[in-house]
């Protein structure tokens, strides 16, 4: 599954985020690790890793899609979810973001 989130209108933003979330396969009883990678020219790459319960995954991914990411995909084989912001511009200091959510533990 792969989707782009339109930021043309608030309605489009919410509709795309909701449609993408409806296609995700998230195990509410599992534990996930997620790693956020931030790349900005002239700066060292920054990474931050956290653990999140499956029950909180949908809310976290939705928040990212509504605020800071414009692409989402889920690997059909591993179930890994990746969200990205790849639109470099002067407005965001040419920064890119990527968050990878991987299944850490089931039940």
């Amino acid at each position: 599954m792969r989707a782009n989130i339109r930021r043309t209108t608030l309605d489009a933003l919410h509709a795309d985020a909701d449609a993408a979330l409806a296609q995700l396969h998230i195990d509410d009883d599992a534990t996930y690790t997620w790693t956020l990678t931030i790349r900005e020219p002239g700066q060292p790459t920054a990474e931050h890793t956290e653990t999140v319960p499956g029950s909180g995954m949908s809310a976290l991914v939705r928040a990212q899609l509504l605020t800071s990411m414009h692409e989402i995909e889920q690997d059909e084989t591993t179930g890994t979810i990746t969200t990205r912001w790849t639109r470099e511009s002067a407005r965001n200091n040419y920064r890119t973001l990527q968050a990878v959510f991987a299944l850490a533990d089931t039940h």
Side-chain angles (χ1 to χ4, degrees):
M1 184 284 290
R2 185 180 178 109
N4 287 313
I5 308 304
R6 296 172 294 161
R7 289 181 145 54
T8 53
T9 67
L10 191 56
D11 288 341
L13 174 66
H14 282 269
D16 287 356
D18 290 342
L21 285 170
Q23 294 179 58
L24 292 180
H25 300 288
I26 296 173
D27 183 347
D28 287 341
D29 296 322
T31 302
Y32 290 80
T33 59
W34 70 287
T35 302
L36 176 65
T37 304
I38 303 169
R39 291 181 180 85
E40 190 171 344
Q43 301 293 324
T45 298
E47 284 194 353
H48 178 75
T49 300
E50 289 186 26
T51 302
V52 62
S55 59
M57 278 285 293
S58 291
L60 179 57
V61 171
R62 180 179 172 76
Q64 285 190 353
L65 294 177
L66 294 177
T67 60
S68 60
M69 304 294 191
H70 73 95
E71 293 178 1
I72 183 168
E73 68 179 292
Q74 185 169 33
D75 184 285
E76 305 277 331
T77 307
T78 64
T80 299
I81 298 166
T82 305
T83 60
R84 292 183 195 87
W85 180 267
T86 59
R87 297 176 181 157
E88 298 177 30
S89 70
R91 186 176 180 182
N92 72 356
N93 294 326
Y94 301 96
R95 178 177 47 214
T96 61
L97 306 171
Q98 176 174 291
V100 177
F101 300 86
L103 192 60
D105 183 28
T106 57
H107 314 91

